[in-house]
Amino acid sequence: MNRVLILAQGKEATNFISSIVKDYLNLAEFDVIYQNESDILDEFRVDGINFYKIPFNNFTNLNFFKNKEYSKVIIVIKNKFFALNALDSVKFFAEKNVLVEFIDFWNIEFEYKNVEVIKLPSIINATLIDLLPNVPVFARNIGLGREEIMQVEVPPSSVFLHRLVAMLNEENKTKWRIVAIYRKDKLILPNPMTTILPYDKLIIIGNSKVLKDVYKNIKKDAGMFPAPYGNNIYLLIDRKEMDHKETSKLLKAAIHLQRKLKSKKLIIKIINPNLHRFDKLRKFENVEIYVDYYNTDKQEVMLEDLIKHSIGLFVINNKFYYKNVDFLLKLKKPFLKVGYESIKKCKTTALLLKDDESVAEISPVVFDISSQLQTELKLLDMDPENVNLKTKEITEYYKNLQKMYFYKNVEVVINSKNPYFELKKMKNICFFVPFNSKIPRNKLSTIFMPDIEKIHILLDEFNQFMIPTKD
């Protein structure tokens, strides 16, 4: 049976022993060393707990206790001098790999092997901090006790709202995970289609430093795209490959998005510069222009700027896309593939429905961008004869999100005609495309093997928001 040695003095020790006698005597056999009779109440003297009165300034002879096998030693002594003397006297237990728990009332800085110091001032401070509004609640008495378990309530305007828990866990599987949800006083263990709703209390595990950033992101308001992917929009201009017409088209698209979306800045990077000047761009607010005279490797430049400038959305053309699909997959960031038509004319945003969870995964971004661009949103079912349960679930899922986002302009369009020709007829429309490794690499295979899931590759004339998803 477990045996625990307790060195006790003060009211805190009295309360501790009272709790043991009341509820926990069956867990172990307890030996208690004390100095003051007032600390040990008469009702404490029961079977299973033994008391030894020894002056705390005379711990010279503890041979009686040295010969006993203890699983743990706990020091709860309010007097600082006696507490440190007691710790010094029982350190031989620590040397025998017995865990010693020392209750520190004074925030003392020291370190002993196999001694766990419980700093009461820090615990009190953390408890008081928990009382403040809008702070994360960490589990401090389970696990490692290093704030690696957090509970956070999702506000009704959060960027996490209506996102699938499975998708979030997959995106961040090496850093943190949502392991449970408390919703209306009920415990929910997430399944692949569990969606985060307003006022959900999420139980999240991960590194404490990472969790503090997760907390900040959860508390961010929705309608903040390009957050949570990043803060800024990015356009790379290669003057060696892009003529004036192509450069102008990309610049107009990027500036329009900067005005419409809630990005902090538009970052324009120019490589292979020529005599053409971009001074006129400096009149635009929150536009920063950088010229690199040396590095001409587009991928290297973009990777370097990705972190340096907190990029949340890239603006690219079709040519760059087809040459760099694998590179774009590695970035795991959204990008706008600019089409032939000006994005200013975009009155409708659209999403092709298909039997794929990725369509549901990008739903928060679809509503976020559509809302900021103030467009009508169309869900296009271009293959109604092959509609299955999954497609119906996704359609219903979007309809529910429409209500939650208070988004009025959502239309489900069902059309059984040839999707390629029907889509080609559309005007003033931008598309959302889930972007993962299943994406087709060239048009040839799609032309000869038409597939509703890959048809977007034949729609280069349209502006397309490519949103990264899991494979």
Side-chain angles (χ1 to χ4, degrees):
M1 184 178 183
N2 287 334
R3 183 182 290 271
V4 177
L5 175 63
I6 301 173
L7 293 85
Q9 182 262 324
K11 291 182 179 179
E12 291 78 8
T14 302
N15 293 334
F16 177 47
I17 297 170
S18 176
S19 297
I20 291 172
V21 171
K22 183 179 179 182
D23 297 312
Y24 303 109
L25 273 178
N26 61 322
L27 299 182
E29 186 172 335
F30 298 90
D31 290 343
V32 178
I33 298 176
Y34 70 99
Q35 174 176 266
N36 303 323
E37 289 290 348
S38 59
D39 294 330
I40 307 302
L41 305 180
D42 290 340
E43 57 263 33
F44 292 173
R45 299 183 183 278
V46 294
D47 290 341
I49 185 165
N50 307 303
F51 294 92
Y52 304 90
K53 186 175 181 179
I54 301 175
F56 287 157
N57 59 355
N58 184 22
F59 274 125
T60 54
N61 188 5
L62 292 178
N63 290 331
F64 174 76
F65 301 97
K66 285 182 181 180
N67 296 327
K68 291 190 176 185
E69 294 291 330
Y70 290 106
S71 58
K72 181 176 287 191
V73 176
I74 303 174
I75 302 174
V76 191
I77 298 177
K78 189 66 178 285
N79 182 286
K80 184 178 179 180
F81 173 78
F82 291 154
L84 292 176
N85 188 37
L87 178 61
D88 190 58
S89 300
V90 300
K91 63 183 181 183
F92 60 84
F93 285 114
E95 292 169 357
K96 292 167 59 177
N97 292 321
V98 176
L99 179 62
V100 176
E101 303 269 12
F102 180 77
I103 311 303
D104 177 8
F105 294 89
W106 316 275
N107 242 4
I108 303 170
E109 292 297 329
F110 64 87
E111 188 173 336
Y112 282 89
K113 182 182 177 182
N114 286 332
V115 175
E116 184 171 313
V117 180
I118 299 169
K119 295 183 176 292
L120 284 191
S122 298
I123 293 173
I124 293 170
N125 179 63
T127 303
L128 292 174
I129 292 296
D130 286 346
L131 299 177
L132 298 176
N134 296 321
V135 297
V137 178
F138 291 101
R140 298 183 174 90
N141 297 315
I142 59 175
L144 299 174
R146 297 172 186 168
E147 299 185 348
E148 77 278 9
I149 305 172
M150 176 180 73
Q151 174 182 302
V152 57
E153 184 175 89
V154 181
S157 58
S158 172
V159 295
F160 274 56
L161 207 61
H162 314 306
R163 297 194 68 181
L164 296 173
V165 172
M167 305 307 177
L168 287 168
N169 284 346
E170 179 64 26
E171 291 171 14
N172 304 280
K173 58 186 176 183
T174 62
K175 299 176 182 177
W176 57 270
R177 294 182 69 85
I178 299 170
V179 295
I181 299 175
Y182 288 102
R183 180 179 297 162
K184 295 181 179 179
D185 297 325
K186 292 182 179 179
L187 173 65
I188 296 173
L189 299 178
N191 62 48
M193 293 302 290
T194 301
T195 305
I196 296 175
L197 299 182
Y199 305 110
D200 278 354
K201 293 178 179 178
L202 310 181
I203 305 300
I204 305 174
I205 61 173
N207 179 277
S208 61
K209 292 181 180 178
V210 173
L211 291 188
K212 288 174 183 177
D213 289 333
V214 174
Y215 173 82
K216 292 176 184 176
N217 286 332
I218 291 173
K219 294 298 183 179
K220 280 183 180 177
D221 288 343
M224 296 296 289
F225 185 86
Y229 297 98
N231 296 321
N232 303 314
I233 298 172
Y234 183 90
L235 171 62
L236 178 67
I237 296 175
D238 185 345
R239 292 299 292 150
K240 189 176 181 179
E241 292 189 2
M242 297 179 185
D243 59 20
H244 178 73
K245 183 179 179 181
E246 185 69 13
T247 301
S248 177
K249 181 178 69 174
L250 291 172
L251 282 170
K252 288 177 180 177
I255 291 170
H256 179 72
L257 291 178
Q258 170 63 17
R259 288 172 170 170
K260 288 287 188 176
L261 302 179
K262 293 183 180 177
S263 63
K264 292 184 178 180
K265 299 174 185 176
L266 167 59
I267 307 296
I268 300 173
K269 173 62 74 73
I270 302 168
I271 62 173
N272 293 312
N274 55 19
L275 296 177
H276 183 84
R277 298 176 64 85
F278 292 87
D279 293 343
K280 291 182 180 179
L281 295 175
R282 301 188 187 279
K283 69 179 181 181
F284 293 105
E285 194 174 349
N286 298 321
V287 174
E288 295 184 359
I289 304 170
Y290 299 89
V291 181
D292 194 326
Y293 293 94
Y294 305 102
N295 196 347
T296 59
D297 187 309
K298 290 188 279 292
Q299 293 188 9
E300 283 186 11
V301 172
M302 291 175 71
L303 280 174
E304 182 181 335
D305 289 340
L306 173 65
I307 300 172
K308 184 190 296 184
H309 296 293
S310 182
I311 307 304
L313 176 70
F314 289 91
V315 177
I316 65 171
N317 60 12
N318 286 307
K319 183 178 179 180
F320 182 87
Y321 171 77
Y322 289 113
K323 283 187 174 181
N324 298 276
V325 173
D326 290 326
F327 170 70
L328 291 167
L329 284 168
K330 291 177 183 177
L331 290 182
K332 296 184 178 178
K333 297 285 183 178
F335 57 92
L336 171 69
K337 185 161 71 73
V338 177
Y340 307 152
E341 190 176 67
S342 170
I343 196 170
K344 290 182 180 180
K345 295 181 180 180
C346 181
K347 305 299 180 186
T348 302
T349 45
L351 178 69
L352 283 165
L353 294 178
K354 55 183 180 177
D355 179 20
D356 192 328
E357 286 184 358
S358 64
V359 174
E361 183 180 348
I362 68 172
S363 58
V365 181
V366 170
F367 277 96
D368 196 338
I369 294 177
S370 299
S371 176
Q372 292 189 58
L373 295 181
Q374 298 178 316
T375 62
E376 177 188 13
L377 175 59
K378 288 187 177 181
L379 305 178
L380 305 178
D381 185 356
M382 310 299 285
D383 193 15
E385 293 182 5
N386 293 319
V387 169
N388 57 24
L389 181 60
K390 177 65 71 176
T391 307
K392 290 179 179 178
E393 283 181 0
I394 292 170
T395 304
E396 193 62 33
Y397 173 68
Y398 267 84
K399 287 180 179 179
N400 290 333
L401 289 185
Q402 175 188 355
K403 299 172 186 176
M404 294 175 185
Y405 274 93
F406 303 102
Y407 200 92
K408 296 180 181 179
N409 301 319
V410 178
E411 179 184 0
V412 179
V413 178
I414 300 175
N415 194 326
S416 59
K417 296 179 181 179
N418 186 302
Y420 174 73
F421 294 112
E422 290 303 307
L423 293 170
K424 285 283 188 179
K425 294 177 185 178
M426 295 182 175
K427 301 293 183 183
N428 304 329
I429 191 168
C430 300
F431 286 93
F432 292 103
V433 180
F435 185 60
N436 54 47
S437 62
K438 299 175 185 176
I439 210 88
R441 298 301 199 274
N442 59 72
K443 296 182 181 181
L444 197 61
S445 61
T446 306
I447 290 172
F448 290 106
M449 298 180 64
D451 185 339
I452 192 65
E453 296 188 4
K454 301 175 181 178
I455 200 168
H456 70 274
I457 201 172
L458 303 177
L459 305 174
D460 284 345
E461 63 266 42
F462 297 104
N463 291 289
Q464 298 182 35
F465 288 97
M466 315 290 282
I467 313 301
T469 66
K470 72 172 186 176
D471 292 335

